[in-house]
Amino acid sequence: MQLPPLSENSLKDKVILVTGAGDGIGRAAALSFARAGATLILLGRTVSKLEAVYDEILSEGGAEPAIVPLDLCGATLSHYQQMAQTIQEQFKRLDGVLHNASQLGYLRPFAQIPEKEWQDIMQVNLTSQFYMTQALLPLLLQAPHASVIFTSSGVGRKGRAYWGSYAVSKFATEGMMQVLADEYANSKVRFNCINPGATRTKMRAKAYPAEDANQLKTPEDIMPLYLYLMSDQSIDVNGQSLDAQPKK
Ligand SMILES: NC(=O)c1ccc[n+]([C@@H]2O[C@H](COP(=O)([O-])OP(=O)(O)OC[C@H]3O[C@@H](n4cnc5c(N)ncnc54)[C@H](OP(=O)(O)O)[C@@H]3O)[C@@H](O)[C@H]2O)c1
């Protein structure tokens, strides 16, 4: 997909929530969205990382973000409902959500996946997105145009040995996006997936410890697709699963 050139302030006046905003792709997305004029809600589990992103946004002259410290593994629907209420009170609107936080778990034979690992991966990578989307939909539906981006993976489109619970959670993420996109096709909220492709982050290093990370794209390199899908230039794009690094 050829992305159209984006205007400088393509996210001006938008309020956008990013999960896993303290590190890796989520951190880069939060900074890029802020540079494009958005006000960020930074959600993650390590407060010091979120504070560093908060400081960086302010030092670049961006709008003051909000920090939501939350471990997606333990959070229940009521945590997300409280968060939605706080967003309503503080910002009065929500224009976008980037579901980005995920855990890889451990690459291992399917027969050896511990029950707890399976449940934790499903909770963080999948169920938290269900809770959060349910809680935030009323706010998103009030926005003039809202964009919800889910984060997929190559192993969420074609299964691969030893990627077990992570791969299954990404297939289900694609499914959740498709169900929502169809259900809200006649609304002003759109739902799409991004497959980032191999990107230089801690998660990638955990999955491929022997590779030369310098050969990989950085999170900053893959931001054009994130900015496009969050901006009003993509208001007609719904139900798509797009690659941030399309094969040439
Ligand atoms: N990098 C790649 O090559 C690649 C390829 C395909 C798909 N993806 C997907 O892209 C997304 C971002 O991955 P990444 O590579 O940037 O990973 P990363 O560097 O490991 O960052 C993951 C982020 O998610 C947060 N997180 C993890 N578990 C959490 C929890 N229980 N509660 C709250 N926050 C939690 C982490 O917080 P802490 O820092 O506090 O742990 C971190 O900010 C993921 O959905 C991943 O599956 C990545």
Side-chain angles (χ1 to χ4, degrees), residues 19-27 43-47 49 70-74 99-103 124-125 151-154 166 170 194-204 216 219 226 245:
T19 74
D23 213 333
I25 294 168
R27 175 182 174 280
L43 186 150
R45 64 178 167 180
T46 308
V47 176
K49 291 186 184 182
L70 194 66
D71 185 340
L72 301 177
C73 199
H99 291 288
N100 161 82
S102 275
Q103 283 173 210
V124 173
N125 297 8
T151 308
S152 180
S153 166
Y166 176 84
K170 293 297 184 182
I194 293 180
N195 168 21
T199 310
R200 196 189 308 164
T201 67
K202 292 197 180 77
M203 184 186 286
R204 176 75 191 185
L216 300 174
Y226 286 77
Q245 301 181 52

Side-chain angles (χ1 to χ4, degrees), residues 195-242:
N195 168 21
T199 310
R200 196 189 308 164
T201 67
K202 292 197 180 77
M203 184 186 286
R204 176 75 191 185
K206 185 180 173 190
Y208 295 90
E211 81 181 347
D212 177 5
N214 291 320
Q215 303 299 317
L216 300 174
K217 296 280 187 202
T218 65
E220 291 71 26
D221 291 333
I222 62 169
M223 283 304 119
L225 180 61
Y226 286 77
L227 282 163
Y228 167 70
L229 276 187
M230 216 31 112
S231 81
D232 285 350
Q233 279 181 278
S234 62
I235 51 177
D236 294 326
V237 181
N238 185 38
Q240 303 298 307
S241 188
L242 301 170

Side-chain angles (χ1 to χ4, degrees), residues 137-152:
L137 261 169
L139 263 169
L140 291 163
L141 286 163
Q142 288 169 37
H145 296 285
S147 174
V148 179
I149 304 174
F150 290 93
T151 308
S152 180

Side-chain angles (χ1 to χ4, degrees), residues 6-228:
L6 282 173
S7 62
E8 257 200 14
N9 263 326
S10 60
L11 302 181
K12 192 175 176 303
D13 297 331
K14 288 190 185 290
V15 175
I16 297 171
L17 186 150
V18 176
T19 74
D23 213 333
I25 294 168
R27 175 182 174 280
L31 291 168
S32 299
F33 295 162
R35 282 176 202 133
T39 301
L40 268 295
I41 301 169
L42 309 168
L43 186 150
R45 64 178 167 180
T46 308
V47 176
S48 56
K49 291 186 184 182
L50 299 174
E51 285 174 346
V53 177
Y54 175 101
D55 288 344
E56 205 167 331
I57 290 174
L58 285 190
S59 74
E60 291 183 5
E64 186 176 10
I67 288 181
V68 180
L70 194 66
D71 185 340
L72 301 177
C73 199
T76 61
L77 181 58
S78 73
H79 288 103
Y80 298 105
Q81 287 167 338
Q82 276 168 27
M83 179 176 82
Q85 200 179 328
T86 308
I87 295 171
Q88 170 72 55
E89 284 162 13
Q90 270 191 23
F91 296 104
K92 315 258 179 301
R93 63 186 290 162
L94 185 65
D95 302 275
V97 179
L98 171 60
H99 291 288
N100 161 82
S102 275
Q103 283 173 210
L104 178 67
Y106 293 90
L107 304 188
R108 54 167 117 233
F110 196 86
Q112 292 170 19
I113 300 170
E115 184 189 358
K116 171 95 172 85
E117 186 178 301
W118 174 273
Q119 284 170 347
D120 286 353
I121 296 293
M122 291 303 156
Q123 186 68 27
V124 173
N125 297 8
L126 181 64
T127 308
S128 72
Q129 303 184 137
F130 158 67
Y131 288 149
M132 203 179 305
T133 306
Q134 253 195 358
L136 296 177
L137 261 169
L139 263 169
L140 291 163
L141 286 163
Q142 288 169 37
H145 296 285
S147 174
V148 179
I149 304 174
F150 290 93
T151 308
S152 180
S153 166
V155 296
R157 294 184 187 157
K158 185 166 191 323
R160 195 182 303 159
Y162 311 120
W163 285 70
S165 33
Y166 176 84
V168 175
S169 74
K170 293 297 184 182
F171 267 92
T173 295
E174 295 262 358
M176 195 182 318
M177 178 279 286
Q178 288 183 19
V179 169
L180 286 161
D182 197 39
E183 220 166 288
Y184 288 91
N186 295 322
S187 79
K188 288 183 180 159
V189 188
R190 60 199 190 278
F191 299 86
N192 295 285
C193 268
I194 293 180
N195 168 21
T199 310
R200 196 189 308 164
T201 67
K202 292 197 180 77
M203 184 186 286
R204 176 75 191 185
K206 185 180 173 190
Y208 295 90
E211 81 181 347
D212 177 5
N214 291 320
Q215 303 299 317
L216 300 174
K217 296 280 187 202
T218 65
E220 291 71 26
D221 291 333
I222 62 169
M223 283 304 119
L225 180 61
Y226 286 77
L227 282 163
Y228 167 70

